[in-house]
Amino acid sequence: MGLGLLPLGLALGVLITHAGLPWWCASLSTAVIYAGSFEFILVGLVLAAVPLATIALTAFLVNVRHVFYALSFPLDKVSGRPARAYSTFALNDESYALATGPQARSWSGARLLWLQVLMQAYWVGGATAGALLGSVVPDTVTGLDFALTALFTVLALDAVRERRGDLPTPLLALLSALIARLIVPGQLMLGAFALFTGALLVRHFVTRSRSSHA
Amino acid sequence: MPDTRYLLLAVAVSAAVTWALRALPFTVLAPLRASAVVRYLGARMPAGVMVILCVYCLRDLPLSRPEAVAPLAALAVTVGLHLWRRNALLSILGGTMVNVVLASTVFGH
């Protein structure tokens, strides 16, 4: 599963070299930031030489969704301060999906942690290789960034299949995303997460009051 | 090209913001984890979050232009492969390859 990060890392590395940035930017960014989609966006930002405050704000807006992950990520399984620190540092979309997925229920904290380490190794390795090979790949080769879309598609299919019989959840999410796309196109991700969380809360309280009146 | 100091600072700022967003909620939200509402959200959020991230990735799809054909075909291949084989790596590689080939040749430039 974490192997999906390898082609994605390669894509990021090639993108970084094609943008004219030094290859070590790929290794550094993937090792220190480790936030897939944001790193793709960051390439554009540094090329435009935007102020650091703009970078901080964009990082906040693109990654603020991680706030929600603390609600269900099984950090309590991981023991020891350094291990927990790394586990939160490496809490990206993919490791969240993996750790909250059906297969992860029986996993120990150590297994969870090593998977996170392995996933980041694929990411750093892929990006570094991509950046080094980037000069060999001609500029006409485009579309590698689809790896990110494919990754989320696969994760969504698995997560939805795991909740068979709960069709309203993915439908509410889809609706939230489409509404956010219409009313706050610049802040799709934040808008969609807020709408989706709100919709789930409403649904929870409606179901609860219905069952208590029954 | 941006200078090295700027690049290093850009990475440092991004890393600090990202890690804070990932780590701080655990301290702030810790008392909430036992509540029924949070457990309700926790069970349903993963599926929804991934759907939202998919839409986010496809947000700029130029639906009325021929360039949209490559990502749409790649998406169909990804979904098809995944429903068929349930192998995440195969689905991701297959879909990405279709997109790269179509976007770089037929619909390229």
Side-chain angles (χ1 to χ4, degrees), chain A residues 20 34 46 49-50 55 63 69-70 73 88-89 91 96 142-143 146-147 152-153 158 161 163 169 173 181 201 204, chain B residues 1-2 6 14-15 18-19 22 33 37 40 43-44 46 48-49 53-54 57 59 75 82 86 92 96 99-100 104:
Chain A
Y34 192 37
V46 297
V50 301
I55 292 181
N63 290 324
Y69 294 174
F73 184 80
T88 58
F89 163 75
L91 178 50
Y96 171 73
T142 59
F146 186 82
F152 290 139
T153 305
D158 285 343
R161 191 157 43 196
R163 292 200 62 79
T169 295
R181 173 81 177 81
L201 285 174
H204 175 61
Chain B
M1 198 189 81
Y6 173 74
S14 308
T18 306
W19 192 16
R22 285 172 178 169
R33 281 171 79 100
V37 181
Y40 179 90
R44 285 160 187 77
V49 166
L53 290 173
C54 278
C57 285
R59 71 193 181 287
L75 189 68
H82 202 63
R86 284 203 191 195
I92 293 169
T96 307
N99 189 58
V100 169
S104 310

Side-chain angles (χ1 to χ4, degrees), chain A residues 43-162:
Chain A
V43 177
L45 292 181
V46 297
L47 280 182
V50 301
L52 290 174
T54 308
I55 292 181
L57 183 67
T58 311
F60 179 84
L61 292 173
V62 175
N63 290 324
V64 73
R65 65 180 184 279
H66 292 106
V67 165
F68 298 98
Y69 294 174
L71 294 176
S72 41
F73 184 80
L75 185 68
D76 43 316
K77 280 186 181 177
V78 181
S79 50
R81 274 182 85 91
R84 290 171 74 101
Y86 177 76
S87 193
T88 58
F89 163 75
L91 178 50
N92 59 351
D93 303 311
E94 296 77 18
S95 66
Y96 171 73
L98 202 67
T100 53
Q103 71 281 43
R105 235 159 257 150
S106 56
W107 290 355
S108 67
R111 173 137 189 223
L112 194 64
L113 192 67
W114 277 113
L115 261 157
Q116 285 188 290
V117 173
L118 191 66
M119 282 167 85
Q120 193 179 8
Y122 284 134
W123 181 236
V124 178
T128 307
L132 291 172
L133 293 170
S135 47
V136 189
V137 179
D139 279 340
T140 49
V141 173
T142 59
L144 270 170
D145 53 336
F146 186 82
L148 187 69
T149 314
L151 178 72
F152 290 139
T153 305
V154 163
L155 292 175
L157 284 174
D158 285 343
V160 168
R161 191 157 43 196
E162 149 75 355

